[in-house]
Amino acid sequence: TQWIAQTKQMLDQPGITLRGMVGSAELATAYRRASFFAYPTAFMETGCIALVKAMAFGALPITSRFPESVLPELVGDLDLGPPLPSHLAVLVDEKGTVRPDPEAAKAWSMVGTPYFESLRFSAAFGDAVISALRRERAPELEALRQQLRKRAAESLTWEAAARTMLQRWHADGLL
């Protein structure tokens, strides 16, 4: 399909090597060496362990900010991905997720997901990646990496996730 052709074209660039399956030691080395982790998903995800691992090693996330996924909560203000276009931004809350009201949900189903499957999104995502690469060694990005490592150590662990869930369940009166 068109997406596969686009992906193959993007992989056929200088400096990009598709490695296939690798062992955990080689993967950890790659995460450690990575400046960024590009993740242009348009799927409703409950989590992305590869992204969490990359963030723990200090790779700055460049994501789609897909509002129906865990990305806005997981990455938050450290995401270097493209901002939502204004016609979609009005449908999300301050956390970056689709507003729970029926009108927003209906509007999102009509225009949200199609945007993430469009060439317009592909271009915006590509621009975000290029912008990040041009600033790779900028002091402000190094500061973001430090924040990211700290956040990952404090909140992106199984223990922290369990603590958060228990706090939410207590607040909702479920426990």
Side-chain angles (χ1 to χ4, degrees):
T1 67
Q2 182 181 4
W3 181 85
I4 293 171
Q6 287 176 321
T7 301
K8 286 180 179 180
Q9 183 181 10
M10 288 187 282
L11 289 171
D12 189 24
Q13 304 293 322
I16 296 179
T17 304
L18 180 60
R19 302 287 299 190
M21 296 292 289
V22 298
S24 58
E26 186 175 347
L27 186 58
T29 298
Y31 283 138
R32 198 173 295 108
R33 293 179 54 209
S35 296
F36 305 100
F37 189 87
Y39 197 68
T41 190
F43 294 102
M44 292 183 217
E45 298 196 40
T46 57
C48 177
I49 196 68
L51 178 59
V52 170
K53 288 177 183 180
M55 289 168 52
F57 280 102
L60 290 170
I62 305 171
T63 81
S64 59
R65 301 179 191 239
F66 189 63
E68 290 186 300
S69 73
V70 71
L71 294 176
E73 182 179 350
L74 179 64
V75 179
D77 59 342
L78 299 177
D79 197 334
L80 300 179
L84 290 175
S86 59
H87 75 286
L88 296 180
V90 298
L91 302 175
V92 300
D93 61 21
E94 67 281 350
K95 294 179 183 176
T97 57
V98 177
R99 292 191 335 254
D101 60 271
E103 296 82 21
K106 182 178 178 183
W108 179 265
S109 69
M110 294 172 60
V111 296
T113 303
Y115 164 73
F116 286 95
E117 296 170 352
S118 73
L119 291 177
R120 184 172 167 213
F121 168 73
S122 295
F125 191 82
D127 289 346
V129 170
I130 291 167
S131 173
L133 290 170
R134 286 183 175 148
R135 302 179 301 143
E136 182 175 8
R137 299 290 174 221
E140 69 270 11
L141 292 188
E142 289 303 319
L144 280 179
R145 285 187 183 92
Q146 293 303 319
Q147 280 183 266
L148 184 63
R149 287 184 188 105
K150 183 178 181 204
R151 183 184 293 176
E154 293 172 355
S155 64
L156 298 179
T157 65
W158 292 116
E159 181 183 339
R163 187 172 40 254
T164 299
M165 291 306 300
L166 286 172
Q167 289 169 350
R168 289 181 182 171
W169 291 339
H170 277 292
D172 292 343
L174 298 173
L175 293 178

